[in-house]
Amino acid sequence: MKIKTHFPLLLSAALAFAPPLRAADTDAAATAINSLGIDLLKKTNGPSENTLLSPYSVQNALAMTYAGAAGETRDEMRKVLHFPKESAELDKSFAALDQRLAAIAAQSKNVVDRSKEMGGPAEPITLSVADRLYAQKGYEFRPAFFEEVKKYYGAPVEQADFTTGAESARKEINGWAADQTHDRIRDLIPGGGVNANTRLVLVNAIYLKAAWEYEFQKFVTQPAPFHVKGGDPEQVPTMSAMKQYGYAKGGGFTVVTLPYVGGDLQFVVLLPDEPDGIAALEAKLTPELLAGCAASKPALVHLWMPKFKMEPPTVDLGGELAGMGMQTAFDEPQGSANFDAMSPRTPTNYLFISKVFHKTFISLDEHGTEAAAATAVAMAAGAAPHRETPPKPVEVHVDHPFVFAIQDRKSGACLFLGRVTDPR
């Protein structure tokens, strides 16, 4: 009788930037991030519920896990996660995107320093990403696996003792995730999420605080109707401004993009034409559509948009990922998981993913946006041109359920993706 030994691995989101690498294309990472984000958005909660994900965080955590996969498990993960066949291309693409995000934060500081004298934004973007691995001391891992995730994802390895101190290890991991996200992500791993059988936890965390390029005036914010869940309107605090925003009209929906300071990151609103049109809109979402939002043309827009805040509890994405085709990674059927590139596999001692914990936070107001996310994978063994006459503005009332994203304009990658059905 074969005994499946459980050696959980947990992964939480806090990306440390890798050392400088040669310039690489971010397309592979951006496509994978947006593709999985759309897949999970459609499967997480229902179209009538608020939802918030960080596909960037989830994919970083899973990309590190993928580096240790082999055989059929690796093939399944590649298909579900929309990864290219060449792992080197994937790793270099994620590293290039991480370096791109680090540069955005640094450049925003220069922009703010120059704009202060003219009354522009006074606060630069805070954007931090970090990875870390917590490995059971004394357990046999392949050095090449640790070397790969350190080289491309900047993830150091910390020794942990899950065998005799699982709760202490859980608190340490959660504390690290909280520190990396300015205390916005607490208790990433719930009680019991790691135990004496845990052998590895990969953690990825992302934190963003960004001021709008053009802040909304607080005195203009007023209660306005919002069709909650596509039904009867309720009064909610609504911001308004008339500015040059990115604008596009699609088949049955409108796109408006709001730049953050520096213009490298933007908040994307995808608003269906009908109050009850959120499900139809999500059915049309594609990676190409999201990438197209990054290049929306500027227009004079009179925008009304609700303030909102989301702080959902930790969710386990394991069921969704397994249902999408990653069965063997979760050891379905028993004995099928193959992470031999992470740790030597034997019939009675092997790693498999037991949980994929994900927790998020976002707050959007007149000043800008604050957002954070962390992901933990638990593995068990087994400016417009000047015009003489101002153009007539386009009016956009975000007064019913909509999809949103926080996007890097250059790569098109969505750091956060979600839906708002009730901004209250």
Side-chain angles (χ1 to χ4, degrees):
M1 176 180 176
K2 294 182 179 180
I3 301 174
K4 180 171 67 175
T5 308
H6 294 271
F7 294 131
L9 170 154
L10 293 172
L11 194 157
S12 156
L15 288 169
F17 296 110
L21 300 169
R22 289 183 301 174
D25 197 340
T26 59
D27 285 354
T31 298
I33 288 166
N34 292 351
S35 297
L36 183 64
I38 292 169
D39 292 343
L40 291 175
L41 179 66
K42 294 176 180 179
K43 292 181 177 294
T44 305
N45 299 327
S48 65
E49 300 299 324
N50 288 342
T51 300
L52 176 61
L53 299 161
S54 174
Y56 176 83
S57 174
V58 174
Q59 280 288 38
N60 268 272
L62 290 173
M64 291 193 296
T65 310
Y66 177 73
E72 184 181 359
T73 296
R74 186 176 179 85
D75 291 339
E76 288 181 354
M77 291 184 71
R78 179 178 61 79
K79 293 176 183 177
V80 171
L81 301 177
H82 304 274
F83 287 165
K85 290 185 178 181
E86 294 295 329
S87 59
E89 177 189 351
L90 176 73
D91 291 337
K92 291 178 180 179
S93 188
F94 270 102
L97 183 55
D98 290 349
Q99 292 175 4
R100 157 78 182 157
L101 298 181
I104 287 174
Q107 290 166 5
S108 75
K109 185 178 185 303
N110 295 331
V111 171
V112 167
D113 289 343
R114 293 195 302 267
S115 70
K116 281 181 180 178
E117 297 179 358
M118 297 179 290
E123 184 179 350
I125 290 175
T126 299
L127 177 57
S128 59
V129 190
D131 291 310
R132 180 163 295 196
L133 275 61
Y134 291 84
Q136 174 64 42
K137 63 180 182 180
Y139 190 71
E140 184 180 4
F141 293 99
R142 297 195 185 278
F145 168 70
F146 288 152
E147 291 169 3
E148 181 174 349
V149 296
K150 175 63 175 178
K151 177 180 180 181
Y152 292 107
Y153 301 91
V157 179
E158 296 288 337
Q159 297 294 307
D161 187 0
F162 298 102
T163 303
T164 62
E167 180 61 14
S168 294
R170 183 182 75 90
K171 290 180 179 179
E172 181 180 352
I173 296 167
N174 284 351
W176 180 83
D179 288 344
Q180 296 296 321
T181 60
H182 295 241
D183 219 28
R184 287 303 186 184
I185 302 298
R186 302 181 183 180
D187 300 320
L188 168 62
I189 303 170
V194 295
N195 55 39
N197 294 319
T198 299
R199 292 297 175 268
L200 181 64
V201 175
L202 304 91
V203 185
N204 169 274
I206 179 171
Y207 175 82
L208 170 69
K209 188 175 184 181
W212 301 120
E213 185 84 69
Y214 316 110
E215 293 188 9
F216 292 86
Q217 299 298 314
K218 287 189 176 183
F219 71 86
V220 179
T221 299
Q222 300 289 336
F226 186 95
H227 294 267
V228 173
K229 298 185 178 183
D232 295 334
E234 300 284 347
Q235 296 292 310
V236 302
T238 302
M239 309 177 298
S240 65
M242 185 165 60
K243 301 290 183 182
Q244 289 283 342
Y245 295 125
Y247 174 81
K249 188 68 179 173
F253 64 94
T254 297
V255 175
V256 180
T257 63
L258 292 72
Y260 294 107
V261 59
D264 290 307
L265 297 179
Q266 65 182 8
F267 185 85
V268 181
V269 175
L270 296 103
L271 179 70
D273 291 348
E274 303 299 327
D276 59 353
I278 192 72
L281 170 59
E282 291 184 11
K284 299 176 181 177
L285 288 180
T286 64
E288 293 77 17
L289 192 157
L290 289 179
C293 292
S296 298
K297 301 299 182 182
L300 184 61
V301 178
H302 194 175
L303 176 68
W304 287 263
M305 187 169 69
K307 298 167 60 173
F308 66 90
K309 180 179 179 179
M310 293 186 199
E311 195 169 5
T314 296
V315 295
D316 178 10
L317 300 176
E320 285 81 1
L321 292 166
M324 289 158 57
M326 276 176 50
Q327 288 92 346
T328 66
F330 292 89
D331 208 30
E332 300 174 8
Q334 184 174 338
S336 62
N338 188 348
F339 287 92
D340 186 69
M342 185 181 293
S343 175
R345 186 188 191 283
T346 71
T348 59
N349 186 343
Y350 60 91
L351 295 174
F352 68 93
I353 299 175
S354 59
K355 301 287 184 181
V356 178
F357 295 121
H358 187 56
K359 194 171 185 180
T360 51
F361 167 90
I362 190 170
S363 177
L364 183 145
D365 60 17
E366 294 89 351
H367 180 64
T369 303
E370 184 180 19
T375 308
V377 177
M379 300 191 67
H386 176 74
R387 304 179 185 222
E388 293 299 327
T389 303
K392 183 178 180 180
V394 178
E395 293 194 359
V396 178
H397 294 258
V398 184
D399 60 359
H400 54 269
F402 61 95
V403 172
F404 69 88
I406 297 177
Q407 182 181 51
D408 169 31
R409 293 185 63 195
K410 185 174 182 179
S411 69
C414 293
L415 309 185
F416 295 86
L417 183 66
R419 79 169 70 90
V420 175
T421 64
D422 186 350
R424 296 175 297 176

